[in-house]
Amino acid sequence: MLDGAPRRRIAHLDMDAFYASVELTKYPQLRGQPVVIGGRRDAVPRQDADGTWHYMRLRDYVGRGVITTATYEARALGARSALGIMKAAQTAPDAILLPVDFESYRRYSRLFKAAVANIAPAIEDRGIDEIYIDLSAHEDSSDVLGRRIKAAVRNATGLSCSIAIAPNKLLAKIGSDLDKPDGLTLLSMADVPTRIWPLAVSKINGIGPKATTRLGTLGIQTIGELAEAAPEVLQREFGLGYARWLIDAAHGRDERAIDTDPETKSVSRETTFERDLHPQGDRAELSAIFDTLCQQVAGDLARKGLIGRTIGIKLRFDDFRTVTRDHSLELPTADPVLIRRAAIQCLRRIDLDRRLRLLGVRVANLQSGADRPPIAQAALPF
DNA sequence: TCTGGGGTCCTAGGACCC
DNA sequence: TCTGGGGTCCTAGGACCC
């Protein structure tokens, strides 16, 4: 190809305040109000005989739980994702609290993805509320395609989304956040200095809180400052590989392809207890939770047609220290009894000297259940 | 009464094999 | 007996993302 690689057009589509927006389709009377999604499952609104709705307010909530999503009205009051609900109640006591309803979100997720796939089938799933779309093979202008996709999503779900179309995933991801909600942003490499460089480094997908702090100590706050940083300084701080990636990202360079069919690497279940549990004093309760987690993971594997060889557990102590142990079996399994047996072996290798707040069970090293040789054959001694 | 649940990827050391 | 690398697998922890 004399012209080199064909120019790519990658879209990133992000549903606007997804969980909250789905909840508002269930409770349209709450439109325009500060609404927060999260917490335990028991905050379900109830309706009086005379038709009046009653909702839980943030100030009424007691116990553990964080905000998963909030409407833009609630965000304006300081209710942001991952914030503890009782903490958020200090600045937004009257905001309405709704419990998460994943079944509904999954249904809407399937609807919007199917609507996009009708127009552009090369989709990479990035979770329940966002996707990348490869538009390189399409003829229409990015503006026309973007509008068409947004209209299709609205038609199928009644919900709005924000889209950016750019030469690669990195820029598309940054771009979809530039004009939220209901945005359509078009970016080219020529836009990088004007539209990307003024942004904080944390806007780059892959630069989290730790890296942001470390860059800050080097005097680097914006993506533009990162682009101008001395490579030796970055390499000394972060190592060669990460430094190279940082520099490429700051210049908007990213060659990653759309992955339309990523394989599952691990399946896990975990739960944070309502109160911290004592390894001995609450033994029966812990044991029951442990069994349930093993059964849930086994059920998830069976549903996905997967079996796995490496069984792992995760514990979090009351001081938030987290430890993991894992153990690889001879043969992959999805059997809850075998998973539990291996998980118990892992558990025995941990000093249980504090109260626990979380327990988790994980299966990795996965393969398709159909690939497994018949038991009798696998058990042969030669 | 801080801090959910489901994931992916990377690093690093040790075992083990050639 | 000392001294090698290279490759792969296993395990533990941590950063990061939605």
Side-chain angles (χ1 to χ4, degrees), chain A residues 133-176:
Chain A
I133 316 161
D134 194 335
L135 300 173
S136 307
H138 291 252
E139 302 278 328
D140 295 297
S141 74
S142 294
D143 188 56
V144 166
L145 278 168
R147 287 169 196 274
R148 191 179 298 156
I149 291 170
K150 280 165 64 78
V153 168
R154 190 180 284 280
N155 250 331
T157 63
L159 305 179
S160 72
C161 62
S162 295
I163 297 181
I165 302 177
N168 57 50
K169 289 161 79 167
L170 178 96
L171 290 173
K173 170 73 180 172
I174 295 173
S176 66

Side-chain angles (χ1 to χ4, degrees), chain A residues 243-276:
Chain A
R244 279 186 178 156
W245 175 80
L246 284 171
I247 292 165
D248 280 342
H251 287 89
R253 296 190 288 258
D254 173 26
E255 296 298 324
R256 288 171 302 161
I258 296 290
D259 185 354
T260 57
D261 189 24
E263 58 178 322
T264 305
K265 300 286 171 52
S266 68
V267 172
S268 67
R269 288 283 187 132
E270 65 182 56
T271 187
T272 297
F273 317 133
E274 267 307 305
R275 61 177 181 93
D276 296 338

Side-chain angles (χ1 to χ4, degrees), chain A residues 269-274 289 293 296 357-361:
Chain A
R269 288 283 187 132
E270 65 182 56
T271 187
T272 297
F273 317 133
E274 267 307 305
I289 293 167
L293 290 169
Q296 286 173 330
R357 69 174 281 138
L358 172 146
L359 197 51
V361 175

Side-chain angles (χ1 to χ4, degrees), chain A residues 46 48 72 157 219 240 247 266 270 296 319-320:
Chain A
R46 56 180 181 81
D48 273 354
Y72 291 96
T157 63
L240 182 59
I247 292 165
S266 68
E270 65 182 56
Q296 286 173 330
D319 61 357
F320 227 71

Side-chain angles (χ1 to χ4, degrees), chain A residues 11-18 72 75 112 116 129-133 146-147 149-151 153-154 159-165 172-186:
Chain A
H12 182 257
L13 182 158
D14 196 25
M15 297 299 288
D16 298 324
F18 184 56
Y72 291 96
R75 294 180 197 191
F112 95 77
V116 176
D129 69 340
E130 59 179 81
I131 52 175
Y132 289 103
I133 316 161
R147 287 169 196 274
I149 291 170
K150 280 165 64 78
V153 168
R154 190 180 284 280
L159 305 179
S160 72
C161 62
S162 295
I163 297 181
I165 302 177
K173 170 73 180 172
I174 295 173
S176 66
D177 198 41
L178 287 178
D179 191 24
K180 258 185 169 305
D182 204 17
L184 174 56
T185 300
L186 308 183

Side-chain angles (χ1 to χ4, degrees), chain A residues 307-358:
Chain A
I307 50 179
R309 267 185 61 229
T310 304
I311 316 299
I313 62 164
K314 172 163 138 184
L315 263 61
R316 183 168 290 147
F317 294 99
D318 56 2
D319 61 357
F320 227 71
R321 187 168 56 96
T322 304
V323 297
T324 63
R325 292 290 181 273
D326 50 44
H327 176 71
S328 293
L329 303 170
E330 282 289 315
L331 295 171
T333 185
D335 182 339
V337 175
L338 296 181
I339 291 170
R340 182 174 182 281
R341 193 177 297 163
I344 295 271
Q345 292 300 115
C346 292
L347 197 55
R348 286 199 220 283
R349 287 190 275 142
I350 302 179
D351 263 343
L352 299 175
D353 50 359
R354 307 187 63 104
R355 287 179 182 269
L356 300 168
R357 69 174 281 138
L358 172 146

